[in-house]
């Protein structure tokens, strides 16, 4: 399996990655991990509450005791160097990691009162409440209309054609795509531009009225204009949804989020108001990463 | 890690840009410091030639101000600096405008020196000019030192000094006004001294402003428009 290889240091292609991590650790000699996350990882009445999350890929531990809250209607950005575990952590939030056999998640993860890892929980239902937008736009090879209507159909959210039409229209409007596609709803979604495809995927995600939207580097494959549109959209969406976004672009994290979490080698080093993180981070590791002194 | 160490950026060009900004700022600081010293000398010794030199230096100072501002604009546009880099750029852009104003004030003092050289010495006030002048000069030196070494403690000391300068200035003003009332014929000459003292007091204020920028740069805390005691309390938090 792909992921198994990815975390096996002995695999020939990964010698470089191992070197890099060792190099980083060597450089970090003078910077120490905090005993616990610095800043304000917790909020009152959180939408999602994660405590002592640990993730293993086989023997290899990818996340070490991460605890944080995501507030209602908050945009939380997860940043950190490659391989720091930010995407892995994000994928725990709607059990995307279930699809990886060797991946094991420990700790307490709650969406309001719902234990995310309750064995009785219906994962499909969970993913309707916690939607996800991926790095590469991945519209289904169907029409624009069917892409958006897919979720509501399988979840039985609309009984009549009229209701479905309305859901499709509102979702596309919320995703800022309606005006561009209203005259060609039945042409294939794959025929749209990259930025439009990504907004289509966002429309598809919000069509099932999720409470939380997870975004895994949603703009990394897009040009600056399309990126600006998605960022605008994130601000808009945060009025109705709670959003967690993983991004490699620190400027993007700075622009869109209320709070920023900095991950480093599987640990949550600091979580603070985004303003604080980008002007006066509390921890030296955050400072070093934000200012581009490593990473 | 030494937080204020600027040598380890992953991008060497970014390093060079920041380094160049700091060097130019220090050069500008050095020039302005020299201007203050020379202006005082020109006033106290009625040295017109030296006063001329002070005014000529202004041009150089202005050019450096524009150069540094341009460098900072470039870094902001091209590098989108964050955290300590961002604070450095912000602090530098503010400090250069204070330095430029100090240059202006020095030129004012030099002009007063020239006038006194033409009209004849003022009967009073030189002791005060020398005393406050020395005080302000030290403040400027210390504040530039604090900037070069990212020393917030020293910057705080400068802010405290400014309070003393203000007191000294007020007391000098009282005695000179009294003197002018007693001897109206001296008013025009004593006024030259008063304008110079006023310029020195302003230089003290600018030195304090730069010190406040150093505190912002090092500690990330905005300490403008509050008393020295309040600054201390804020830094302890």
């Amino acid at each position: 399996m792909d992921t198994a290889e990815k975390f096996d240091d002995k695999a020939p292609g990964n010698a470089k990655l191992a070197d890099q991590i060792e190099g980083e650790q060597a450089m970090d000699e003078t910077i120490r991990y905090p005993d616990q996350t610095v800043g304000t990882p917790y909020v009152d009445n959180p939408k999602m509450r994660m405590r002592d999350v640990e993730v293993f890929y086989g023997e290899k531990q990818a996340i070490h005791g991460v605890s944080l809250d995501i507030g209602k209607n908050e945009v939380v950005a997860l940043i950190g160097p490659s391989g720091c575990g930010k995407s892995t952590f994000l994928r725990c939030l709607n059990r995307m990691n279930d699809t990886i056999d060797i991946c094991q998640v420990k700790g307490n993860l709650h969406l309001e009162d719902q234990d995310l890892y309750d064995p009785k929980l219906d994962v499909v239902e969970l993913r309707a409440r916690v939607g996800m937008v991926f790095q590469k736009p991945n519209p289904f090879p169907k029409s624009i209309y069917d892409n958006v209507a897919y979720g509501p159909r399988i979840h039985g959210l609309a009984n009549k054609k009229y209701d479905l039409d309305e859901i499709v229209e509102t979702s596309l409007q919320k995703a800022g795509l309606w005006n561009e596609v209203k005259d060609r709803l039945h042409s294939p979604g794959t025929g749209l531009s990259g930025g439009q495809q990504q907004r289509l995927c966002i429309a598809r995600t919000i069509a099932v009225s999720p409470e939380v939207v997870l975004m895994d580097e949603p703009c990394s494959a897009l040009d600056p204009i399309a990126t600006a549109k998605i960022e605008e959209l994130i601000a808009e969406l945060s009025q109705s949804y709670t959003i967690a976004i993983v991004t490699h672009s620190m400027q993007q994290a700075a622009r869109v989020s209320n709070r920023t979490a900095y991950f480093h080698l599987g640990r949550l080093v600091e979580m603070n108001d985004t303003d604080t993180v980008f002007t006066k981070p509390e921890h030296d590791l955050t400072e070093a990463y934000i200012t581009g002194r490593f990473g | 890690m030494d937080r204020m160490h600027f040598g380890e950026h992953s991008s060497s060009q970014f390093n060079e840009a920041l380094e160049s900004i700091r060097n130019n700022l220090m050069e500008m600081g050095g020039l302005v410091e020299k201007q203050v010293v020379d202006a005082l000398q020109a006033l106290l010794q009625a040295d017109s030639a030296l006063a001329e030199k002070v005014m000529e230096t202004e041009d150089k100072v202005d050019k450096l101000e524009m150069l540094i501002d341009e460098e900072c604009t470039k870094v902001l546009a091209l590098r989108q600096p964050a955290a300590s880099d961002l604070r450095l750029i912000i602090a530098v852009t503010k400090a250069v405008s204070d330095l430029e104003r100090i240059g202006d004030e020095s030129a004012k003092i030099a002009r007063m020196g020239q006038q006194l050289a033409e009209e004849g010495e003022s009967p009073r006030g030189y002791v005060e000019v020398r005393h406050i002048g020395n005080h302000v000069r030290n403040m400027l030196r210390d504040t530039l030192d604090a900037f070069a070494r990212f020393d917030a403690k020293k910057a705080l000391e400068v802010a405290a000094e400014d309070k003393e300068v203000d007191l000294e200035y007020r007391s000098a003003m009282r005695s000179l006004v009294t003197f002018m009332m007693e001897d109206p014929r001296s008013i025009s000459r004593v006024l030259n001294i008063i304008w110079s003292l006023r310029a020195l007091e302003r230089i003290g204020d600018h030195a304090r402003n730069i010190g406040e920028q150093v505190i912002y740069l090092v500690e990330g805390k905005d300490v403008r428009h509050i008393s020295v005691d309040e600054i201390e309390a804020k830094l302890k938090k």
Side-chain angles (χ1 to χ4, degrees):
Chain A
M1 179 148 210
D2 268 13
T3 325
E5 277 169 22
K6 199 168 163 191
F7 284 89
D8 182 1
D9 290 343
K10 286 178 203 101
N14 289 313
K16 220 171 139 195
L17 180 73
D19 278 357
Q20 195 185 327
I21 291 172
E22 250 168 45
E24 259 178 37
Q25 278 164 342
M27 209 189 77
D28 292 345
E29 266 173 22
T30 48
I31 313 179
R32 294 197 40 203
Y33 283 113
D35 295 331
Q36 58 188 58
T37 303
V38 299
T40 50
Y42 311 127
V43 296
D44 296 335
N45 304 319
K47 182 79 189 168
M48 297 191 87
R49 184 172 175 276
M50 276 64 66
R51 292 294 179 274
D52 306 314
V53 176
E54 307 206 316
V55 180
F56 297 83
Y57 287 106
E59 295 282 290
K60 176 109 184 167
Q61 187 166 3
I63 305 257
H64 302 257
V66 169
S67 300
L68 63 86
D69 288 338
I70 301 175
K72 199 169 185 309
N73 290 5
E74 188 179 39
V75 181
V76 165
L78 312 180
I79 60 169
S82 299
C84 69
K86 54 190 190 298
S87 286
T88 300
F89 183 77
L90 190 78
R91 293 163 62 91
C92 294
L93 304 185
N94 70 345
R95 292 188 49 179
M96 272 316 216
N97 288 329
D98 287 12
T99 56
I100 302 167
D101 292 339
I102 55 156
C103 180
Q104 202 193 347
V105 179
K106 290 180 182 169
N108 291 309
L109 296 95
H110 282 84
L111 170 63
E112 288 176 341
D113 294 331
Q114 176 66 57
D115 180 356
L116 297 187
Y117 283 80
D118 181 347
K120 280 175 282 180
L121 177 70
D122 177 359
V123 177
V124 176
E125 214 155 274
L126 167 69
R127 288 184 193 147
R129 291 180 71 188
V130 184
M132 192 158 199
V133 177
F134 297 89
Q135 183 170 1
K136 253 183 93 190
N138 52 353
F140 301 137
K142 292 170 180 282
S143 71
I144 294 168
Y145 183 96
D146 286 336
N147 260 284
V148 183
Y150 184 82
R153 271 188 191 130
I154 61 164
H155 288 285
L157 296 179
N159 298 321
K160 298 191 185 108
K161 169 100 172 56
Y162 172 81
D163 292 338
L164 198 57
D165 286 351
E166 195 176 291
I167 291 178
V168 170
E169 180 173 342
T170 351
S171 304
L172 285 168
Q173 258 165 358
K174 277 191 192 162
L177 193 59
W178 176 248
N179 286 334
E180 291 159 59
V181 301
K182 63 182 175 201
D183 299 326
R184 46 173 172 150
L185 287 176
H186 296 284
S187 43
T190 44
L192 297 171
S193 76
Q196 288 173 326
Q197 285 187 17
Q198 192 63 304
R199 277 181 284 149
L200 177 62
C201 293
I202 292 175
R204 189 178 67 194
T205 306
I206 57 183
V208 292
S209 309
E211 294 156 54
V212 182
V213 179
L214 309 177
M215 298 185 170
D216 193 354
E217 299 193 36
C219 301
S220 59
L222 305 182
D223 70 35
I225 309 268
T227 300
K229 280 190 185 161
I230 302 272
E231 287 176 2
E232 186 70 25
L233 184 57
I234 291 172
E236 214 46 33
L237 293 177
S238 70
Q239 290 169 14
S240 352
Y241 309 98
T242 299
I243 297 172
I245 174 170
V246 162
T247 173
H248 260 139
S249 157
M250 282 182 277
Q251 296 314 313
Q252 179 167 68
R255 285 190 295 264
V256 302
S257 68
N258 307 110
R259 282 191 307 147
T260 298
Y262 173 62
F263 283 74
H264 188 90
L265 294 174
R267 289 174 177 84
L268 177 59
V269 172
E270 173 166 354
M271 186 161 185
N272 248 324
D273 286 346
T274 300
D275 287 356
T276 309
V277 170
F278 286 90
T279 53
K280 177 70 184 158
E282 274 182 53
H283 198 269
D284 290 348
L285 275 172
T286 321
E287 168 92 25
Y289 180 68
I290 296 280
T291 57
R293 285 185 170 74
F294 69 74
Chain B
M1 186 187 72
D2 176 4
R3 281 208 139 180
M4 289 298 159
H5 190 63
F6 286 86
E8 304 165 7
H9 237 286
S10 324
S11 158
S12 60
Q13 282 172 311
F14 194 175
N15 271 338
E16 281 163 23
L18 291 178
E19 196 57 38
S20 161
I21 287 173
R22 290 180 63 211
N23 288 341
N24 283 333
L25 180 77
M26 286 306 129
E27 188 189 338
M28 185 176 175
L31 264 181
V32 168
E33 208 182 322
K34 180 93 182 7
Q35 255 188 315
V36 174
V37 173
D38 286 350
L40 277 170
Q41 181 96 346
L43 179 74
L44 292 171
Q45 319 222 322
D47 185 341
S48 280
L50 190 58
E52 199 60 47
K53 209 182 113 195
V54 171
M55 287 183 272
E56 277 166 16
T57 317
E58 260 214 285
D59 194 37
K60 260 195 207 165
V61 172
D62 291 349
K63 284 206 173 100
L64 267 173
E65 183 197 18
M66 289 193 287
L67 173 71
I68 296 170
D69 273 345
E70 195 189 321
E71 286 182 311
C72 289
T73 311
K74 254 191 204 160
V75 167
L76 286 173
L78 304 182
R79 304 283 174 186
Q80 290 99 37
S84 60
D85 295 334
L86 177 66
R87 299 201 306 275
L88 175 73
I89 299 295
I90 299 292
V92 167
T93 47
K94 296 203 167 162
V96 288
S97 78
D98 277 309
L99 280 176
E100 193 269 335
R101 298 289 293 279
I102 294 177
D104 288 350
E105 300 293 344
S106 310
K108 253 185 230 169
I109 297 173
R111 240 187 331 272
M112 295 304 143
Q114 265 182 335
Q115 279 183 22
L116 283 173
E118 285 162 19
E119 292 171 22
E121 270 184 24
S122 160
R124 275 283 176 96
Y126 288 100
V127 179
E128 288 87 344
V129 167
R130 182 171 287 122
H131 182 68
I132 295 179
N134 274 334
H135 210 151
V136 165
R137 213 176 84 189
N138 290 342
M139 279 174 69
L140 180 58
R141 195 194 52 220
D142 287 349
T143 208
L144 289 170
D145 242 30
F147 211 122
R149 294 180 194 160
F150 303 113
D151 184 346
K153 200 167 151 257
K154 197 162 206 174
L156 179 66
E157 283 167 19
V158 173
E161 294 262 316
D162 185 45
K163 221 163 124 189
E164 278 173 46
V165 167
D166 289 352
L167 288 178
E168 286 165 3
Y169 167 71
R170 247 174 276 157
S171 121
M173 209 47 87
R174 262 197 304 275
S175 84
L176 289 176
V177 168
T178 316
F179 183 81
M180 285 191 293
M181 277 156 50
E182 284 165 7
D183 181 9
R185 284 165 308 163
S186 68
I187 285 179
S188 134
R189 283 171 297 157
V190 176
L191 267 180
N192 284 331
I193 294 288
I194 286 184
W195 296 137
S196 304
L197 285 172
R198 169 85 190 136
L200 286 172
E201 189 266 339
R202 290 298 300 148
I203 292 176
D205 291 345
H206 289 300
R208 176 187 169 140
N209 290 349
I210 297 173
E212 288 169 351
Q213 290 309 320
V214 174
I215 293 174
Y216 171 70
L217 163 61
V218 179
E219 303 287 341
K221 289 179 179 148
D222 191 340
V223 294
R224 293 172 301 172
H225 312 301
I226 54 176
S227 74
V228 175
D229 294 340
E230 284 168 320
I231 296 179
E232 261 176 301
K234 213 169 175 180
L235 290 183
K236 273 189 194 137
K237 257 186 220 165

